[in-house]
Amino acid sequence: MELVEAMRTTGTCRYFRPDPVPDEVLYQAFDHARFAPQGGNRQPVRWIVVRDPARKAALQDLYLPLWKNYLSGIADGTVNVGALPKTVRDADYFAEHLAEAPAIVVACAELDGLHPTDTDLGRLSIVGGASVYPTVQNFCLALRNLGVGSALTTLLCQVEPEVRELLAIPEGVATAAHIAIGYPRDPFPAKLTRLPVEDVVAAETYDQPFFAPTTV
């Protein structure tokens, strides 16, 4: 698959066929994912592939209350996701059927391999993820190239102690994302909905558009 096509069609897949994803397909995806950039080439990302039905069910049991609380916030207006109603319905179906995904891949990070430089700024730190999430995105792109869908969620990171116990994750290793994977029930999207370039690129200062707005 051509790279740009993969980048523009790797959406969130929430409906999976029951077919298992073969080990050799997973190996290829992990093999490609590891070439993502990371600080100092410290390579902190580690993966856990969860296929056992009981463990997947346990992850779903942890996930559902978090999602339902989030869903309630959407319903009463305290959470603004900017998502279409269909997207919310699809996400609710996904939560109710998480354990049915052929596999749930847990992306972990060795904390001593991270070097966040923004922890003293008095705001949410995001820099630590720079050595993690490019590898996660590479994994999702590699899966797309192999015809496998993915749905990345970070909700379960709220209950990391429970996930740590369930999956025997050692101290010093954090959970960064949980990725449900499988062959999609429906065709991959031909086009994803994203903001136009004109709305997200600035020139020199944040308030100066780089590209002139397009007229329709």
Side-chain angles (χ1 to χ4, degrees):
M1 169 176 282
E2 195 268 331
L3 173 62
V4 171
E5 181 185 356
M7 291 168 61
R8 296 177 76 107
T9 61
T10 303
T12 299
C13 178
R14 297 186 176 94
Y15 299 88
F16 300 103
R17 304 202 310 263
D19 315 55
V21 179
D23 290 357
E24 56 268 25
V25 171
L26 283 172
Y27 187 95
Q28 289 183 62
F30 289 127
D31 189 32
H32 296 321
R34 64 195 175 97
F35 287 96
Q38 58 249 282
N41 198 28
R42 287 185 288 268
Q43 304 181 55
V45 177
R46 299 294 182 268
W47 309 93
I48 304 170
V49 180
V50 181
R51 284 172 165 162
D52 176 68
R55 283 198 178 91
K56 290 192 296 178
L59 288 173
Q60 178 176 302
D61 289 343
L62 292 170
Y63 186 88
L64 264 176
L66 301 171
W67 165 252
K68 294 301 183 181
N69 183 57
Y70 190 71
L71 185 62
S72 296
I74 296 173
D76 64 24
T78 57
V79 174
N80 179 19
V81 294
L84 297 174
K86 180 182 183 304
T87 302
V88 176
R89 289 195 301 270
D90 290 344
D92 193 48
Y93 176 92
F94 172 78
E96 296 278 2
H97 297 82
L98 177 61
E100 297 173 21
I104 300 173
V105 177
V106 184
C108 301
E110 295 184 332
L111 293 175
D112 61 4
L114 307 181
H115 184 59
T117 57
D118 60 345
T119 55
D120 297 325
L121 295 180
R123 59 142 172 87
L124 179 70
S125 174
I126 62 173
V127 173
S131 290
V132 179
Y133 295 112
T135 304
V136 172
Q137 179 65 3
N138 263 17
F139 178 63
C140 293
L141 288 170
L143 289 172
R144 172 68 185 91
N145 182 59
L146 295 162
V148 179
S150 61
L152 185 151
T153 175
T154 57
L155 271 182
L156 280 169
C157 295
Q158 295 180 54
V159 289
E160 184 175 277
E162 291 89 338
V163 173
R164 180 188 303 281
E165 181 177 359
L166 178 67
L167 304 181
I169 299 172
E171 292 297 325
V173 177
T175 57
H178 297 71
I179 310 153
I181 68 169
Y183 291 101
R185 185 196 70 182
D186 306 315
F188 283 100
K191 181 181 180 181
L192 300 175
T193 302
R194 299 291 187 267
L195 291 171
V197 171
E198 292 81 2
D199 288 358
V200 297
V201 183
E204 308 298 340
T205 60
Y206 194 90
D207 58 348
Q208 296 297 318
F210 190 95
F211 300 101
T214 57
T215 56
V216 179

